[in-house]
Amino acid sequence: MGTVAEVRSLFEAKLKDQPTDFHPLDLERVKDDKYLKRILLHQENRVKEAADMLWDILTWRKSIGAADINENNIRLDYVREGVFFPRGRDIDGCLLLIFKARMHFKGQREYNELKKIMIYWFDRVEREENGKKITMFFDMEGSGISNMDMELVKYLISLFKEYYPLFLNYIIIFDMPWVLSAAFKVVKTLLPAKAVEKMKFVEKDTLKEFVTPDQALVCWGGKDNYVFEFVPEVKTEHTTKKVTFAEQGDNQHSPGEMLRLVPNDTIIFKLENEDMSGQFTITNMDESAISFKIRTTSPEKFRVRPSSGTLQSGASQTVLIVVQPGFQLRTVTKDRFLVMSVQIPRIDLTPKELADIWQISTGSKVDEYRLKCNFPEKDMPKNGNLVDGKVTEKTESVSNSLNHLQANVDILSRQVQVLKFLQFLTVTLTGFAVLLSYLVYKNTSENGDYCEKM
């Protein structure tokens, strides 16, 4: 198994043999163990390949001046159009970088300027997310052939493959028109096998499998009514360290973090008073007051009290989570909770004042903490079901009926889509037949007139 030290050693040896004036900010990456670890994992722990990739990244960044790209030297008029922008998070808590396809028309903007804007957003979210993975979200709603720019898509893919290691969580393609399906088959050929598995095609009824409604825009069928407005990056010399659960115990706290969570890794659910519930405690370790919010990958499944609030410095809050009625429980679950916190001047802010603070906060200002869920076997009902909020062993038929109903709904939805396509095809062919008949009639009429004149 390769190590970060070996990657750095190979890179430094090459730099000694081939002195190159890499940008000082890019050379800082070589000192960052976390960044080198990303490259090593991206190259499946192959040390030489990782060192070569590090060299290629810095060479590429030097050639395009990536470290100097900022709001002062990019086309802000392009940026403000909202073709690219970050918003919301996927089920794993990874930031969505959104590409609005219907707002892009191939050839209407300077291609090199678009590439600079993509690099700007990649670098910015890499800083703000502290190197955490992001999800590329292709919003294809309302797009057509004129919006499909394969050169641009290929460039986006190359950024993930070659220059931003271990940065991709999912590629989500939302509401893709059938006329563009061939284009995305080409995209698949550009991706390695592991990346192809990350490509997910979704529509409004299936988006919730990867993006919960509270994180999805209203135009996707979600609850977020956000309208893009460009806000310049707020750069600070020190970025708050994100929580790393594996490095601390329940009663430990890393300097620079706003909160201490107990437990800090996994919420253990237990059967108490016929309710399946769990809890954790939040303590404000910051010198200032904070506001916190709690999000979950399955908002329909859990009742969270409180789901948001404010805390003075040193104050604590216990959060109770109860499983809602009608959900099947499993000891192994993908359910996650995200606790977010941001500094506030005082705790008696109005709801609007709090909303404004959250709106302008960037990843560098917000602390994030993630919790998994665990349902111990000993506390599980025999068939793993809840009815009316209580555990029972007599609801298997109800669950099966709901599953059967959902399956029928899915089938019906697919049939409706097929019928819509057939209806569109029928109207198109009918229009074509009418036009053809008219042209034949007109041609015949003109030939008849010509013959009479003869």
Side-chain angles (χ1 to χ4, degrees), residues 23 27 93 105 210-211 231 257 259 265 304 321 333 385 440:
H23 196 287
L27 283 174
F105 294 90
F210 301 99
V211 181
V231 178
E257 294 171 2
L259 305 181
D265 180 44
V304 182
I321 303 168
T333 177
N385 289 319
V440 171

Side-chain angles (χ1 to χ4, degrees), residues 1-4 6-7 35-51 53 161 165-166 192-195 197-198:
M1 172 105 34
T3 66
V4 164
E6 291 174 313
V7 175
Y35 184 75
L36 296 191
K37 185 66 174 179
R38 284 171 54 193
I39 296 179
L40 191 58
L41 292 175
H42 189 90
Q43 292 293 344
E44 299 180 336
N45 286 303
R46 295 172 296 184
V47 173
K48 184 181 184 307
E49 285 81 355
M53 184 178 189
K161 283 178 61 176
L166 210 69
K194 288 186 177 181
E197 296 174 1
K198 297 175 180 287

Side-chain angles (χ1 to χ4, degrees), residues 233-296:
E233 181 180 8
V234 179
K235 293 184 179 179
T236 58
E237 294 182 1
H238 171 72
T239 298
T240 301
K241 180 187 173 187
K242 304 297 180 183
V243 68
T244 306
F245 295 125
E247 297 175 354
Q248 57 177 330
D250 280 354
N251 296 313
Q252 293 178 321
H253 175 74
S254 298
E257 294 171 2
M258 293 184 193
L259 305 181
R260 180 177 67 199
L261 272 59
V262 180
N264 66 1
D265 180 44
T266 304
I267 304 170
I268 306 297
F269 284 79
K270 298 179 180 179
L271 180 60
E272 295 180 355
N273 299 323
E274 297 185 308
D275 285 326
M276 185 65 76
S277 63
Q279 65 181 35
F280 62 94
T281 300
I282 301 172
T283 301
N284 178 11
M285 305 298 292
D286 203 83
E287 294 180 356
S288 69
I290 62 99
S291 171
F292 68 87
K293 291 182 179 181
I294 301 170
R295 298 288 182 264
T296 174

Side-chain angles (χ1 to χ4, degrees), residues 49 64 110 139 146 210 236 240 281 285 312 341 385 388 435 448:
E49 285 81 355
I64 62 172
E110 295 181 47
D139 183 353
S146 61
F210 301 99
T236 58
T240 301
T281 300
M285 305 298 292
Q312 289 278 24
S341 62
N385 289 319
D388 296 331
L435 178 61

